[in-house]
Amino acid sequence: MVIRPGSHTAHRGVSLIEMMVTIAIMMLLALAVAPFSASWGAQAYMRQSQTLLMQGMSQLKAIALRNPSASSAGASAVMISIPGKLCVASGVPAALNCNSAAWTSDPPASIQVNGANSQCVALDSAGMPVAANVNGTVCGTTLSFRVSRGSETPLDGTLN
């Protein structure tokens, strides 16, 4: 509020300079916070992808134990991880894709299973990891994973 000496009326409001200083301070604060919000978003996408991977593993175990393909030997269910897709199929699919999947998901971050971007994990009817071959890709049995996005520190772990 500005009051001029000798004036009987008080002017109410904010001057242009006060408004510009306030806007400049708000812009500086917004610029300081922007990198943190991008990092928070990337971390949230990585945690979401890790959760989807765990859900996929749960679906894989459930389908393997139910054994709807009536597999007596070898893999009764396969989880496939390809760039941008995660899916679970009953039995051993003919190709490393999600066309015949019983469960599918689109993870927002990059997932590597057993060190490869395109990989599969197969379980037998007892729910144990078993070697399988999906169109030339040998399914891993070590069940390690890495979830990454941008320059954030990757999330590493083991599926169980």
Side-chain angles (χ1 to χ4, degrees):
M1 175 158 80
V2 179
I3 301 175
R4 292 195 175 96
S7 171
H8 295 292
T9 59
H11 296 281
R12 295 182 187 221
V14 180
S15 71
L16 181 60
I17 298 293
E18 291 170 332
M19 182 65 76
M20 289 175 59
V21 168
T22 303
I23 290 174
I25 291 172
M26 288 174 53
M27 288 178 64
L28 287 174
L29 289 173
L31 286 174
V33 173
F36 294 115
S37 64
S39 174
W40 290 330
Q43 289 173 0
Y45 285 140
M46 288 172 31
R47 283 190 304 274
Q48 181 182 6
S49 295
Q50 183 181 16
T51 301
L52 289 172
L53 188 58
M54 296 303 162
Q55 287 177 359
M57 191 64 187
S58 294
Q59 290 291 325
L60 174 64
K61 286 179 183 179
I63 292 173
L65 292 172
R66 278 193 308 253
N67 196 8
S69 61
S71 173
S72 59
S76 62
V78 175
M79 179 171 66
I80 297 173
S81 174
I82 53 178
K85 274 286 196 213
L86 188 63
C87 56
V88 176
S90 174
V92 179
L96 200 63
N97 60 36
C98 296
N99 293 343
S100 63
W103 179 88
T104 183
S105 178
D106 300 321
S110 171
I111 296 176
Q112 287 184 338
V113 177
N114 298 324
N117 289 328
S118 296
Q119 182 58 272
C120 56
V121 173
L123 298 182
D124 63 10
S125 60
M128 300 301 295
V130 62
N133 191 329
V134 179
N135 198 25
T137 301
V138 178
C139 297
T141 57
T142 59
L143 307 181
S144 65
F145 71 87
R146 171 171 275 195
V147 179
S148 61
R149 183 176 173 111
S151 62
E152 292 300 312
T153 304
L155 299 173
D156 295 324
T158 304
L159 297 170
N160 48 12

